Amino acid sequence: MPARTKRKPDAVVLQGLGGYVPTGVITNQDLESRLDTTDEWIRTRTGIRTRRFAAEGEATSDMATEAGRRALASAGNPDIDLVILATTTPDHPCPATAPAVASRLGLGPVAAFDLAAVCSGFIYALAQANAAVLSGQNRNVLVIGADMFSAIINPEDRNTAIIFGDGAGAVIVGAGEEGQPGQVSAFDLHSDGTCQDLIKVTAGGSRMPVNAGTLDADRFFTMQGKEVFAKAVEAMAGSSRTALADSGWNAEDVDWLIAHQANQRILNRVAGVLGIPPERAVLHLDRVGNTSAASIPLALADYASKFSKGDKMLLTAFGGGTTWGAATLSWPGITVTDPQQDLIERTTPCPSLQSS
Ligand code: COA
């Protein structure tokens, strides 16, 4: 039997995109009624107006499967040979969630694994997909970022309950030609484990298994917001500069900055440090909050109709670990058929947003 030859492509291109958010809307007013916070504080300190929470019984794989189905449709349903699911909230601690998603999408016995890099998960997963295709190992990869933070945040913790929402975003990347619209390139990835306590769920792993005596404080997600804010700005700006330099682009060349949707003040600060006008920074968090690994592909899906073929995009993220990274992409001019996006009412950016 002849050996299977794996041709190495010249480039990797984005071929499909889809997003999904649950229908349950949590407004700032809803939070105001049960937490020591106000709509005004949340809007001016984060830019967030609403977020989406999964319905009772809905899990990360349900959202990931729907986003994946939409990405596959937008790419014309190509044969997929690898699924990477970036998530911090898998359906179960064991096994991984990606194989279940692959099976529900009818993809057959393809390679499928979860990747854990918290809010940087999508950029990390995209980098692994890029390498897998460039090496000739895989031809078409479904990359999904999906998170359901409503399952791990403490509803009584105003530091986190105001920020996070649930959702999933997915892309298809595959073999392409150098210079083709849609080409992904110039990945820059980093981590710093000395800061692992800044963003954490303490219990539930091998260090502190969950048992009858587990405290709520250890079971829930915690975040040192102020420290995370400063590190996120510095890390995303630094990584973005490297990715831009590796692409041979300047900040003026960037048509769209798609930064992890953590806080509008972080987005503005990163854009300002890089010298990218704020109107070129995509703002999606006002309607869905911080959706962790889903945030970049969801923001792409939300704004897809505004992008033009060949637009130069800079992607960057920061998350727990800590982890961070950046990548560049030229827009492929694909169509995103996503009726669910109609549910996300577009609102204007908060005019009274405080800059520091
Ligand atoms: N509602 C009302 N007041 C609040 C509040 C809330 N939800 N949270 C904090 N406050 C109060 C504080 O108690 C403090 O009061 P004081 O001045 O009387 O002491 C004041 O507001 C300022 O608190 P601070 O923690 O300095 O707020 P901040 O401006 O840093 O905003 C975050 C807090 C969490 C919104 C912000 O730090 C942030 O977005 N960090 C990054 C989070 C993130 O992106 N995480 C994901 C990364 S992947």
Side-chain angles (χ1 to χ4, degrees):
M1 194 163 146
R4 278 197 300 166
T5 51
K6 301 208 173 189
R7 196 176 75 80
K8 294 185 182 178
D10 299 331
V12 177
V13 294
L14 193 139
Q15 299 172 344
L17 170 67
Y20 170 85
V21 285
T23 50
V25 179
I26 309 291
T27 65
N28 290 348
Q29 288 74 15
D30 294 332
L31 297 175
E32 217 172 34
S33 65
R34 61 179 171 79
L35 285 171
D36 181 16
T37 192
T38 61
D39 167 51
E40 207 238 334
W41 194 95
I42 301 171
R43 275 189 296 105
T44 56
R45 301 307 290 170
T46 71
I48 299 167
R49 293 164 185 270
T50 61
R51 69 284 296 140
R52 300 296 182 105
F53 276 11
E56 182 96 35
E58 196 170 15
T60 295
S61 65
D62 302 319
M63 300 190 296
T65 301
E66 192 50 38
R69 191 183 64 71
R70 292 171 186 189
L72 286 163
S74 119
N77 291 303
D79 285 338
I80 298 295
D81 53 11
L82 172 63
V83 176
I84 308 176
L85 171 61
T87 187
T88 303
T89 54
D91 285 10
H92 309 282
C94 175
T97 303
V101 173
S103 292
R104 285 170 63 185
L105 289 169
L107 301 179
V110 296
F113 65 92
D114 288 3
L115 183 152
V118 198
C119 297
S120 310
F122 178 76
I123 296 243
Y124 264 66
L126 192 61
Q128 303 324 304
N130 179 62
V133 175
L134 276 184
S135 72
Q137 179 70 36
N138 295 99
R139 190 82 188 150
N140 293 307
V141 184
L142 170 58
V143 180
I144 309 173
D147 265 316
M148 198 178 124
F149 266 54
S150 63
I152 59 170
I153 53 173
N154 178 350
E156 288 169 13
D157 177 7
R158 69 176 184 175
N159 289 319
T160 53
I162 60 158
I163 289 176
F164 292 92
D166 303 336
V171 299
I172 312 286
V173 292
E177 304 294 329
E178 182 75 39
Q180 185 181 337
Q183 186 176 351
V184 291
S185 50
F187 287 93
D188 181 66
L189 302 178
H190 297 278
S191 75
D192 178 3
T194 65
C195 297
Q196 64 169 342
D197 290 341
L198 292 185
I199 292 171
K200 197 169 195 178
V201 178
T202 302
S206 57
R207 178 73 64 197
M208 188 190 281
V210 172
N211 58 36
T214 303
L215 302 171
D216 269 2
D218 294 328
R219 193 162 61 86
F220 288 123
F221 176 92
T222 58
M223 179 182 72
Q224 296 176 36
K226 233 180 177 36
E227 292 76 7
V228 169
F229 191 112
K231 286 196 180 297
V233 172
E234 188 189 336
M236 286 197 278
S239 214
S240 293
R241 283 201 188 97
T242 304
L244 286 177
D246 289 352
S247 303
W249 297 356
N250 295 314
E252 308 85 71
D253 297 325
V254 175
D255 295 300
W256 299 98
L257 170 66
I258 297 98
H260 168 53
Q261 303 284 301
N263 179 322
Q264 193 181 348
R265 286 158 54 223
I266 295 180
L267 302 185
N268 291 351
R269 204 72 74 80
V270 171
V273 170
L274 291 172
I276 296 173
E279 63 275 13
R280 291 200 213 148
V282 158
L283 179 73
H284 179 60
L285 60 80
D286 53 333
R287 289 150 289 143
V288 298
N290 179 344
T291 56
S292 189
S295 103
I296 288 181
L298 260 182
L300 286 172
D302 185 26
Y303 274 68
S305 62
K306 292 188 177 298
F307 302 148
S308 302
K309 197 170 180 169
D311 275 359
K312 290 186 166 72
M313 349 258 299
L314 171 64
L315 279 46
T316 185
F318 178 88
T322 55
T323 54
W324 64 95
T328 56
L329 164 73
S330 81
W331 186 246
I334 52 175
T335 311
V336 181
T337 356
D338 196 346
Q340 182 92 18
Q341 289 297 327
D342 297 339
L343 291 171
I344 307 178
E345 188 197 341
R346 209 174 271 278
T347 53
T348 48
C350 179
S352 55
L353 199 77
Q354 293 172 14
S355 61
S356 60

